[in-house]
Amino acid sequence: MSLPVFGFVSVHERPLADGIAAEAGWMASAARTGRAAAHLWRGEPGLVVPRSCTTLPGWPAAAQAHRVLVRASGGGVVPQGPGLLNLSLVWRADANADAHATARSPSGTEAIYRALCDALASALARLGIAAAPQAVRGSFCDGRFNLAVAGRKLVGTAQSWRRVAGTPVVLAHAVIVVDADPQ
């Protein structure tokens, strides 16, 4: 499986107040138009958490103390703010014949993660950065499809498949640590 062809990348100059809402809008546009889209953006300082966090003890206090956005997908806590770039790729699943969008758990999920990691690793290699997919113990939202350099997380990836007005749409997302304070 390969990623669709993206004719250009929309670069958003100002931080997005709600990147989750923006991604939902981009997915709706892909469903409506059938065009794949790529967006490079920054979020305002804060955290993005899975919906499951809202049931944890202490959630109300944590949500008041920090700027927190809740996403529908799983995973862990992801920082947003200066020094972090987000890459959001959206396309209609039916635009890629290898993606089995009608399945409850798409069989193309792992293939998309691999294609996303390969594309990002290739882009980083052109900058002289050798990155490889791997889990990085202790990193934010750790998973086996991080991109790491010398054992340190550089990119975290996520994926979401949704039906928008009956149309299957894929969101492949990467958060790239450019120059962020690990604290």
Side-chain angles (χ1 to χ4, degrees):
M1 168 177 287
S2 61
L3 298 173
V5 174
F6 298 92
F8 61 91
V9 176
S10 295
V11 177
H12 302 268
E13 295 294 327
R14 294 192 175 114
L16 299 180
D18 189 342
I20 294 168
E23 286 177 332
W26 299 331
M27 290 177 84
S29 178
R32 187 177 60 256
T33 66
R35 286 191 297 269
H39 296 268
L40 189 63
W41 57 279
R42 291 174 289 133
E44 291 183 350
L47 301 171
V48 176
V49 302
R51 191 170 311 285
S52 62
C53 285
T54 64
T55 63
L56 296 172
W59 166 253
Q64 277 189 317
H66 304 282
R67 184 175 185 286
V68 180
L69 297 174
V70 179
R71 68 178 182 271
S73 61
V77 176
V78 177
Q80 290 292 303
L84 299 165
L85 287 176
N86 295 278
L87 176 64
S88 300
L89 307 175
V90 295
W91 68 92
R92 284 174 40 166
D94 58 0
N96 190 331
D98 292 332
H100 302 287
T102 56
R104 181 173 218 126
S105 177
S107 62
T109 302
E110 184 162 331
I112 289 173
Y113 274 123
R114 290 190 187 287
L116 178 60
C117 285
D118 289 349
L120 289 168
S122 177
L124 290 167
R126 289 191 294 274
L127 298 171
I129 300 168
Q134 71 177 70
V136 179
R137 185 179 165 103
S139 67
F140 67 88
C141 197
D142 190 22
R144 62 190 173 118
F145 293 108
N146 297 321
L147 277 180
V149 175
R152 297 184 66 192
K153 184 171 183 169
L154 178 64
V155 178
T157 61
Q159 188 176 150
S160 179
W161 293 58
R162 297 279 180 262
R163 285 198 175 274
V164 179
T167 302
V169 180
V170 178
L171 163 69
H173 179 93
V175 62
I176 305 161
V177 180
V178 176
D179 182 21
D181 178 357
Q183 299 304 323

